[in-house]
Amino acid sequence: MVLAGFQKTSLIDYPGILAAVVFLPYCNFRCPWCHNGNLVLPASVAEASLLPIQIINEHLKKRRSVLEGVVITGGEPTLTRELPEMIQYYKMLGYKVKLDTNGSRPEVLEYIFARETTRPDYIALDLKLAPHRYPEIGGNEESIKKSSIIIQESGIAHEYRTIVLPQGYLTEQDIKIIAQLVDEKSPWYFSPFKPGTCLDSTWNSFTEPAVEEIVHLTEIALSHGKTAYLRGIKNKTCQAKP
Ligand code: SF4
């Protein structure tokens, strides 16, 4: 088995925890704004220098005195057949495990949550558009709805993440509908779209949405009783619900 990337240390990917980050290849979505094209497209993955997992696992075995957690991200990690074994191995080493997911494979979440040995300690669920718009990015409405319910019912600590897209692509109405998938206690982070290395190069000509727009959408989430925050905007905060 191979990884598409490895970051030895991160202070920002796992809340409150010093973690290593492993990147798994391939994704079943095609978000035009995606910055991980090298992890998503099979042709790019085929050209990339992939890392044998054994080398990374050996490294993680030696770093237990320094690191506290491992973040498994992608691409979309639930596409990797060996995901349960990976989680089990990192937990066995004593790490806390965070899983990032686009919510497209609820059956995998159900499977790994059902066993203590493969249950992640923290989940980040991306909520990209209103569920009925998921076919625009290669997903489907039912899967994202089901995943959000499974995550909420799992009792596992989790967060939601939404990128505010350019050209008004993510609308006020989207946020109102997405809010139905979000529980009130878990943080819901709103961050700005960034042009530069988008999967669909036409998106590189779009500018970052105005801060006012990001604040506005975040405030809609707050007005629906959610614990919403801004992320990735310097010197700007939005009052989350206590
Ligand atoms: S789900 Fe994430 S990794 Fe996959 S295409 Fe969308 S942004 Fe990229």
Side-chain angles (χ1 to χ4, degrees):
M1 188 198 156
V2 288
L3 301 178
F6 179 63
Q7 188 179 333
K8 286 184 176 171
T9 337
S10 168
L11 278 167
I12 58 170
D13 287 278
Y14 196 149
I17 286 193
L18 182 66
V21 186
V22 298
F23 296 85
L24 297 178
Y26 306 113
C27 186
N28 47 355
F29 283 5
R30 292 292 180 269
C31 310
W33 58 88
C34 175
H35 285 292
N36 289 330
N38 58 328
L39 303 181
V40 168
L41 302 172
S44 310
V45 173
E47 284 172 15
S49 35
L50 301 174
L51 305 162
I53 195 163
Q54 291 81 359
I55 293 176
I56 302 306
N57 286 351
E58 275 308 306
H59 173 83
L60 289 171
K61 210 169 171 180
K62 291 180 197 147
R63 298 287 287 169
R64 279 180 286 181
S65 58
V66 182
L67 295 168
E68 299 160 88
V70 177
V71 176
I72 304 177
T73 189
E76 173 48 36
T78 59
L79 296 174
T80 296
R81 201 165 29 95
E82 296 87 349
L83 179 66
E85 290 77 28
M86 286 179 73
I87 298 172
Q88 186 167 352
Y89 181 70
Y90 299 140
K91 286 175 72 103
M92 188 266 291
L93 290 180
Y95 287 118
K96 289 192 176 301
V97 175
K98 170 175 176 261
L99 176 70
D100 294 347
T101 180
N102 64 16
S104 61
R105 303 200 70 205
E107 67 282 5
V108 174
L109 298 179
E110 229 161 16
Y111 179 83
I112 60 175
F113 292 178
R115 294 155 188 79
E116 199 49 50
T117 51
T118 58
R119 265 168 81 85
D121 301 284
Y122 194 89
I123 306 284
L125 175 65
D126 289 341
L127 295 171
K128 296 169 185 294
L129 297 166
H132 68 273
R133 294 185 61 194
Y134 265 62
E136 293 175 32
I137 51 173
N140 72 73
E141 179 172 358
E142 286 318 308
S143 295
I144 187 66
K145 284 182 170 173
K146 200 168 173 199
S147 288
S148 70
I149 293 168
I150 290 169
I151 289 170
Q152 274 184 44
E153 291 180 348
S154 70
I156 298 171
H158 56 275
E159 68 179 43
Y160 305 96
R161 308 185 299 196
T162 295
I163 295 178
V164 178
L165 299 167
Q167 313 281 97
Y169 198 83
L170 178 75
T171 66
E172 204 174 304
Q173 188 60 16
D174 279 312
I175 300 302
K176 289 177 185 167
I177 299 172
I178 295 172
Q180 295 166 17
L181 308 185
V182 172
D183 64 78
E184 295 194 351
K185 288 190 186 146
S186 304
W188 182 6
Y189 294 105
F190 288 79
S191 60
F193 157 83
K194 306 266 184 205
T197 54
C198 297
L199 195 57
D200 178 343
S201 59
T202 58
W203 280 61
N204 289 326
S205 62
F206 300 150
T207 49
E208 198 173 316
V211 171
E212 294 71 28
E213 187 186 346
I214 303 165
V215 169
H216 176 61
L217 294 184
T218 308
E219 284 176 348
I220 290 173
L222 286 168
S223 73
H224 280 71
K226 310 303 171 182
T227 308
Y229 297 94
L230 297 175
R231 184 182 258 172
I233 304 176
K234 272 189 189 156
N235 305 322
K236 192 83 190 167
T237 55
C238 208
Q239 187 62 57
K241 187 171 73 71

